[in-house]
Amino acid sequence: MLGNILIVMTILTGVFTLIMYYYTYKGYANTLSLARNGYYIMTSLVVAASALLLYYILSHQFQYSYVFEYSSKDLSFGLLLSTFFAGQEGSFLLWLLFTALLGIFLIKYLSDDTKKESAFMLVYTLAALFLVILINPLLKNPFAYIWQDPSYLELKYFNPAYYNLPELKGFLAVNKNTGGEFIKIVPELKAALSGLGISMNEFLIQGKGLNPLLQNFWMQIHPPLLFVGFAMTIIPYSFAISAIIRNEYKSWIKESLPWLAAAMMVLGFAIMVGGYWAYGVLGWGGFWGWDPVENSSLVPWIIGVAAIHTMLIQRRTQKTGGTGKYIKTNLVLSILTFVFVIYSTFLTRSGILSEASVHSFVDPGMLTYLFLLGFILTFTILGIGGVLYRWKELKVISNGNEYLLSRESGLIFGAALLIGSAIIITVGTSAPIFGSAVDVKFYNQLNLPIAILITILISLSLFLKWKSTVPKDFLKQISYYMSITAILTTAVVLISPIESLINIIFTFAVLFTITVNVVLLIKTIKVSYINTGGHLAHIGVGVFLLGVLLSGNYTISRQLDLPIGQNVKFNDYQLKFIGHEPIEDGNKFAFNVEVNDGDKIKIASPVMFSSEFNNNVMREPDILEGLSKDFYISPLGFSEGGNSDNSNKVEVVLEKGESVDFNNSKITFSKFSISDEDMSAMLEGKDFEMGADLSVEYKGDVYASNPHIKFTNDGQKIIESIVKPANIKLAVTKIDATGSIDLIIGTLDSKEETGEEQVETLTVEASIKPNINLVWLGVLLITIGFIIAALRRRNELIGRKE
């Protein structure tokens, strides 16, 4: 109740603040202090609501649905903190918290100009108000009680001391198929407990816990960083709309640019922290899979970076007097940066990509879906509509005609290429909305030429002068650096596996960027470090892209069976499985593998365990990090050996359309299979059979397979499917109506079938990832560059104010 009161009061004070800032802008007396105080109170209420939710999590108040769904008493303090933003409700509240706190600094930042502050805060408060409405009791309420939405929960979550109370017998339910016991959570149960003097928190003593994939250090910092970045994108948007409201287009650039640079620094770093988490946890060996939700965060970053470069043109051209050039471009890009953040939220939180992305949240309900859609439309119409409203004035003062050989042209062409990349990614990301999907090749093939052109332009533009450049001088300068780059490219190609022409050109482009910016960095740092931000960021871009090229295209991977005690050759390595051991109080098992590279023997210990959170087998890779390459080993399955007939088997969870490789076969889950008769029987509560249609591709041939389960009142019977040509058998052990199956895949070569004793065998995916550290080094350099650039613009602004 207290949480809901705080949220409702926040909405009311937000509306009050909005009205007072409007009156202030219109010139009403004595309203500015009311507007500011209203915003301070609104922020205080947001902080109080956040603190309250955190208290509920840390004190295990499982009577709140959000706390029950994402936390448990088994989690460490750090992981409990991360459950605050594990679900939609908490992540919206975190975004609101950062937005509200930033507003305090922004009021101080703009306090010397009443008109500017009121116009800016009018827009900024509106954005904060939309966020708080998202978590009101009618939408994504983090303070909802668990009995408000009737459900059945397993008996294991409850205090066994109350199982046999006669007043609670009517709420006990039993699953006829599995025999599992459940408690029906409804308001009547709460009333019955209250009548007995028992609180729900005494009765419900455990929560579901946190998804094992999120129980990682990097996922404790990735979401907060991401939402700080999201919150900061509201700032350039608000500056742009404020400029449109006031019809004044000169000062907003120098005020907005430091915030935009800082926002892109935080957002870019957050995105790559997520990539590092994926690399170290998910087990597929990559850091970027062009997943729609990954892309939806990348697009606003790309647009924001484009906006930084076009803003630099306006700042520079202001020195000759007037408002500067590319005003319309800067307004539109600042607006789109935030609009695409909202679009990212819509894609992630609306459930529209639930079947296309592993990151997407479940369907939040039609009301929330419509509100998110309204969120996008409101701020798109406000922004683009404002530009169109002022179009005549903007057309008069804007002048975008440039000489081809000028720094202005170089920057605007680079920004146009970035926008082109953003459009490509947006089209591919949005494809699932229209019932289709694009392959990873779509992104790679279309973005590669853009990346080449951008990296070349990064360096060429540094030799271009503002306004115009003498062609002879330009060619003389770049020829020296291109000669050095050609030599470096030749050396890299000779010592690396790079062969294709397009990759050689790409290598030349990134080395050209690195070479030019390293030389200019050395010259610049002798004068002042504060001017080195751009060079550092551009070096980082080159290093990052070189790492992407080498690690992405020349990784060596192979699926291996490792019988215990036996050496197995993989490239230049010898691998030996030496046994497994329990870790973390016996909850997980580490499978130890000796990795011998000829000089040293190291131990890799990938992990597998059965998770109670989702009743699935979870797998954690291990990485032996090196200066020039990583050795990456991901566990796939384990056979205990002996006389068991299931040696060499794996257990996997497959979503519809997903595939898994096993024993030189590719198994794909197509769809569920159930006959009309069995469907009728299921609806009538009778015995029925249900299975999965699988396709098994082996040596160019495709075989159909239909393992299924027979459900009866006495339990369930698993019926295997054997594919003899591929020497495998398949069994479905669990069917999830949301679209997945638990599948056991095993070989037919048991002792009974071959007469041979089986030994313990670990099945892994081993990979050698060359130069992956260049990716992380590039990200670090880009981040440092953005920090220095933001500080430089901030210092320029402070100097002008003083």
Side-chain angles (χ1 to χ4, degrees), residues 323-339:
T323 56
K325 298 179 178 179
Y326 295 106
I327 300 169
K328 295 193 296 291
T329 301
N330 290 327
L331 290 171
V332 170
L333 292 181
S334 297
I335 289 164
L336 289 180
T337 299
F338 178 53
V339 166

Side-chain angles (χ1 to χ4, degrees), residues 153-272:
L153 302 180
E154 293 180 62
L155 213 57
K156 64 181 180 181
Y157 299 119
F158 299 93
N159 190 335
Y162 303 121
Y163 285 173
N164 297 319
L165 291 175
E167 291 86 353
L168 303 182
K169 292 296 183 182
F171 302 99
L172 185 66
V174 179
N175 186 314
K176 293 182 179 179
N177 293 321
T178 64
E181 293 183 291
F182 299 83
I183 295 288
K184 186 177 182 180
I185 306 298
V186 289
E188 291 78 10
L189 174 64
K190 171 65 171 60
L193 289 170
S194 298
L196 295 170
I198 303 169
S199 69
M200 180 61 78
N201 201 40
E202 292 174 302
F203 183 54
L204 184 59
I205 58 173
Q206 186 58 289
K208 287 185 176 180
L210 188 64
N211 189 322
L213 293 176
L214 304 181
Q215 295 185 28
N216 177 273
F217 168 76
W218 297 107
M219 285 308 288
Q220 295 179 47
I221 62 173
H222 164 63
L225 282 173
L226 192 68
F227 285 112
V228 169
F230 280 4
M232 293 183 76
T233 61
I234 304 174
I235 300 173
Y237 178 94
S238 299
F239 273 119
I241 302 301
S242 169
I244 292 170
I245 292 172
R246 294 179 293 113
N247 203 23
E248 194 280 312
Y249 306 102
K250 185 175 181 178
S251 63
W252 80 280
I253 283 290
K254 68 176 183 288
E255 293 161 340
S256 179
L257 188 52
W259 290 99
L260 180 60
M264 294 306 101
M265 179 272 293
V266 174
L267 185 57
F269 186 66
I271 290 169
M272 286 314 300

